[in-house]
Amino acid sequence: MNAIITATELASELTGDNPPVVLDVRWQLSVAKAAGEPPFDGRAAYASGHVPGAVYVDLDRELAGAPGARGRHPLPDLAVFAAAMRRAGVSAARPVVVYDGGQGWAAARAWWLLRWTGHPNVRVLDGGLPSWRGDLSVDEPVPSEGDFDPAPAVGGLLDADGAAALARSGVLFDARAGERYRGEVEPIDPVGGHIPGAVSAPTTENVGPDGRFLPAEELADRFKALGASDGTEVGVYCGSGVSGAHEVLALAVAGIPAALYVGSWSEWSSDPARPVATGPDPQ
């Protein structure tokens, strides 16, 4: 099953016999802003216009736990996540489509969580809301309660030790910008650099100027050139497990399974005992 869906395909499926549940997960990374500038409000963006029938999901409150020792966006409490999905109408028997404002990171986080917890049919709208050509709605639907019961998979998830080991035994991709990987800048976390052995693979290079994913063949060639050859175990991390989910999604489009280190650099760098590498060399 394809991990992404076009706006044209979504419009068609919404008029079909088993239309997908549509989730709006608009979100932006909160970084220090100029004095007086309000933070991004995903719910307000949703209220101003969304795909008809879409239900808003809050990434910080429903797709992640509270920030702390496990990182800025650790795994959510499963009961909280399950309640949010059922409130949105998510059931195992209905497909799910997730979108955000176009960057794709937040939608990918929802996609990864749903897939990791056992939903059989979830896709991301390629290009996000900007790709949608239909009318927008300001009506907030109240869907029938869903029956989704999250059941986390045995694999697909890395902790700090697992990420460190995979950087030696397989390939661990760092999805952040290259300058953060090299430790030249670090706008959020206490230490700059990367997990020793990790390979720089910015997720921004998986999409074109329109925010849509590159063709599957191009993505496969890119990841193979970076070390994801056949039979190699692959993992991904980023700053806090959001853009890394987007890289896992890109890998899925390329036909390459990958695990996600959800704690990512925000968890790794919070422990001064963990080693840090800097510069362009993985080691």
Side-chain angles (χ1 to χ4, degrees):
M1 186 192 71
N2 201 346
I4 56 177
I5 183 173
T6 67
T8 301
E9 292 168 336
L10 175 58
S12 176
E13 290 192 14
L14 286 173
T15 63
D17 295 334
N18 188 29
V21 173
V22 182
L23 306 180
D24 182 313
V25 197
R26 272 177 276 183
W27 170 90
Q28 287 182 12
L29 181 65
S30 294
V31 186
K33 301 285 186 179
E37 184 179 346
F40 176 78
D41 187 337
R43 181 169 286 281
Y46 167 82
S48 69
H50 50 265
V51 172
V55 177
Y56 178 72
V57 175
D58 190 311
L59 185 149
D60 288 317
R61 293 176 175 83
E62 297 172 319
L63 304 181
R70 296 183 301 136
R72 285 192 308 279
H73 291 103
L75 288 174
D77 181 278
L78 275 184
V80 172
F81 174 62
M85 293 300 99
R86 289 195 288 264
R87 170 188 62 80
V90 174
S91 297
R94 286 187 66 187
V96 177
V97 172
V98 191
Y99 72 86
D100 58 23
Q103 187 180 44
W105 295 4
R109 171 71 176 225
W111 167 86
W112 180 85
L113 270 171
L114 281 165
R115 292 302 304 272
W116 179 67
T117 55
H119 197 285
N121 189 346
V122 54
R123 291 162 292 172
V124 168
L125 176 60
D126 196 18
L129 188 62
S131 71
W132 179 253
R133 294 293 176 262
D135 293 334
L136 297 179
S137 172
V138 295
D139 297 329
E140 186 167 350
V142 182
S144 299
E145 183 85 359
D147 63 10
F148 182 62
D149 185 17
V154 174
L157 177 67
L158 296 170
D159 60 12
D161 291 340
L166 185 57
R168 297 188 298 270
S169 65
V171 60
L172 180 67
F173 289 136
D174 185 319
R176 298 172 301 159
E179 57 268 25
R180 290 186 69 191
Y181 169 88
R182 295 187 296 270
E184 296 166 359
V185 298
E186 182 43 65
I188 309 171
D189 295 310
V191 179
H194 57 269
I195 296 173
V199 176
S200 181
T203 200
T204 53
E205 296 180 16
N206 295 322
V207 298
D210 58 0
R212 301 184 190 187
F213 282 106
L214 300 176
E217 297 78 7
E218 289 186 30
L219 290 172
D221 288 344
R222 180 190 185 218
F223 291 124
K224 288 178 180 177
L226 291 171
S229 56
D230 293 341
T232 301
E233 189 177 357
V234 178
V236 180
Y237 76 95
C238 57
S240 65
V242 179
S243 66
H246 189 263
E247 183 118 302
V248 174
L249 175 58
L251 284 153
V253 172
I256 302 170
L260 177 64
Y261 173 26
V262 174
S264 285
W265 190 248
S266 61
E267 178 187 36
W268 183 276
S269 63
S270 69
D271 184 349
R274 293 193 182 109
V276 171
T278 56
D281 191 304
Q283 302 302 328

PDB file of all heavy atoms in Angstrom, residues 30 99 123 158 187-188 206 242 256 282:
ATOM      1  N   SER A  30       8.167  25.223  17.433  1.00  0.00           N
ATOM      2  CA  SER A  30       8.236  26.440  18.232  1.00  0.00           C
ATOM      3  C   SER A  30       9.690  26.757  18.566  1.00  0.00           C
ATOM      4  O   SER A  30      10.317  26.082  19.371  1.00  0.00           O
ATOM      5  CB  SER A  30       7.431  26.273  19.520  1.00  0.00           C
ATOM      6  OG  SER A  30       6.062  26.142  19.231  1.00  0.00           O
ATOM      7  N   TYR A  99      -3.015  15.245   6.822  1.00  0.00           N
ATOM      8  CA  TYR A  99      -2.317  16.341   6.143  1.00  0.00           C
ATOM      9  C   TYR A  99      -1.934  17.399   7.155  1.00  0.00           C
ATOM     10  O   TYR A  99      -2.431  17.452   8.282  1.00  0.00           O
ATOM     11  CB  TYR A  99      -3.188  16.942   5.030  1.00  0.00           C
ATOM     12  CG  TYR A  99      -4.352  17.765   5.504  1.00  0.00           C
ATOM     13  CD1 TYR A  99      -4.219  19.117   5.806  1.00  0.00           C
ATOM     14  CD2 TYR A  99      -5.630  17.208   5.625  1.00  0.00           C
ATOM     15  CE1 TYR A  99      -5.293  19.883   6.241  1.00  0.00           C
ATOM     16  CE2 TYR A  99      -6.706  17.961   6.044  1.00  0.00           C
ATOM     17  CZ  TYR A  99      -6.537  19.297   6.355  1.00  0.00           C
ATOM     18  OH  TYR A  99      -7.602  20.050   6.786  1.00  0.00           O
ATOM     19  N   ARG A 123      -2.438   7.102   5.106  1.00  0.00           N
ATOM     20  CA  ARG A 123      -1.585   7.761   4.114  1.00  0.00           C
ATOM     21  C   ARG A 123      -1.495   9.252   4.418  1.00  0.00           C
ATOM     22  O   ARG A 123      -2.353   9.817   5.087  1.00  0.00           O
ATOM     23  CB  ARG A 123      -2.164   7.565   2.704  1.00  0.00           C
ATOM     24  CG  ARG A 123      -2.090   6.142   2.182  1.00  0.00           C
ATOM     25  CD  ARG A 123      -3.051   5.921   1.024  1.00  0.00           C
ATOM     26  NE  ARG A 123      -4.433   5.990   1.489  1.00  0.00           N
ATOM     27  CZ  ARG A 123      -5.502   5.995   0.669  1.00  0.00           C
ATOM     28  NH1 ARG A 123      -5.334   5.969  -0.640  1.00  0.00           N
ATOM     29  NH2 ARG A 123      -6.718   6.035   1.170  1.00  0.00           N
ATOM     30  N   LEU A 158      13.156   2.861  18.087  1.00  0.00           N
ATOM     31  CA  LEU A 158      14.489   2.806  18.674  1.00  0.00           C
ATOM     32  C   LEU A 158      14.543   3.648  19.942  1.00  0.00           C
ATOM     33  O   LEU A 158      13.913   4.703  20.009  1.00  0.00           O
ATOM     34  CB  LEU A 158      15.538   3.336  17.694  1.00  0.00           C
ATOM     35  CG  LEU A 158      15.751   2.563  16.396  1.00  0.00           C
ATOM     36  CD1 LEU A 158      16.635   3.384  15.448  1.00  0.00           C
ATOM     37  CD2 LEU A 158      16.390   1.208  16.674  1.00  0.00           C
ATOM     38  N   PRO A 187      20.026  25.639  17.470  1.00  0.00           N
ATOM     39  CA  PRO A 187      19.101  26.656  17.969  1.00  0.00           C
ATOM     40  C   PRO A 187      18.207  26.203  19.117  1.00  0.00           C
ATOM     41  O   PRO A 187      17.551  27.050  19.730  1.00  0.00           O
ATOM     42  CB  PRO A 187      18.258  26.974  16.726  1.00  0.00           C
ATOM     43  CG  PRO A 187      18.259  25.681  15.952  1.00  0.00           C
ATOM     44  CD  PRO A 187      19.618  25.092  16.165  1.00  0.00           C
ATOM     45  N   ILE A 188      18.175  24.913  19.407  1.00  0.00           N
ATOM     46  CA  ILE A 188      17.186  24.418  20.365  1.00  0.00           C
ATOM     47  C   ILE A 188      17.812  23.611  21.498  1.00  0.00           C
ATOM     48  O   ILE A 188      17.547  23.863  22.675  1.00  0.00           O
ATOM     49  CB  ILE A 188      16.126  23.544  19.657  1.00  0.00           C
ATOM     50  CG1 ILE A 188      15.543  24.286  18.443  1.00  0.00           C
ATOM     51  CG2 ILE A 188      15.015  23.158  20.633  1.00  0.00           C
ATOM     52  CD1 ILE A 188      14.668  23.435  17.571  1.00  0.00           C
ATOM     53  N   ASN A 206      14.271  15.320   0.457  1.00  0.00           N
ATOM     54  CA  ASN A 206      13.407  14.256  -0.055  1.00  0.00           C
ATOM     55  C   ASN A 206      12.210  14.796  -0.831  1.00  0.00           C
ATOM     56  O   ASN A 206      11.425  14.009  -1.375  1.00  0.00           O
ATOM     57  CB  ASN A 206      12.882  13.394   1.105  1.00  0.00           C
ATOM     58  CG  ASN A 206      14.000  12.650   1.801  1.00  0.00           C
ATOM     59  OD1 ASN A 206      14.932  12.177   1.169  1.00  0.00           O
ATOM     60  ND2 ASN A 206      13.905  12.560   3.119  1.00  0.00           N
ATOM     61  N   VAL A 242       9.918  14.338  14.981  1.00  0.00           N
ATOM     62  CA  VAL A 242       8.879  14.819  14.073  1.00  0.00           C
ATOM     63  C   VAL A 242       9.386  14.813  12.631  1.00  0.00           C
ATOM     64  O   VAL A 242       8.859  14.099  11.783  1.00  0.00           O
ATOM     65  CB  VAL A 242       8.384  16.224  14.484  1.00  0.00           C
ATOM     66  CG1 VAL A 242       7.315  16.721  13.511  1.00  0.00           C
ATOM     67  CG2 VAL A 242       7.810  16.182  15.896  1.00  0.00           C
ATOM     68  N   ILE A 256      11.766   1.207   1.498  1.00  0.00           N
ATOM     69  CA  ILE A 256      12.795   0.836   2.468  1.00  0.00           C
ATOM     70  C   ILE A 256      12.224   0.966   3.878  1.00  0.00           C
ATOM     71  O   ILE A 256      11.928   2.077   4.322  1.00  0.00           O
ATOM     72  CB  ILE A 256      14.041   1.739   2.321  1.00  0.00           C
ATOM     73  CG1 ILE A 256      14.605   1.646   0.900  1.00  0.00           C
ATOM     74  CG2 ILE A 256      15.105   1.367   3.352  1.00  0.00           C
ATOM     75  CD1 ILE A 256      15.687   2.676   0.596  1.00  0.00           C
ATOM     76  N   PRO A 282      30.804  11.041   9.850  1.00  0.00           N
ATOM     77  CA  PRO A 282      29.880  10.374  10.783  1.00  0.00           C
ATOM     78  C   PRO A 282      30.506  10.095  12.145  1.00  0.00           C
ATOM     79  O   PRO A 282      29.839  10.189  13.189  1.00  0.00           O
ATOM     80  CB  PRO A 282      29.533   9.074  10.062  1.00  0.00           C
ATOM     81  CG  PRO A 282      29.636   9.421   8.608  1.00  0.00           C
ATOM     82  CD  PRO A 282      30.818  10.373   8.535  1.00  0.00           C
TER      83      PRO A 282
END
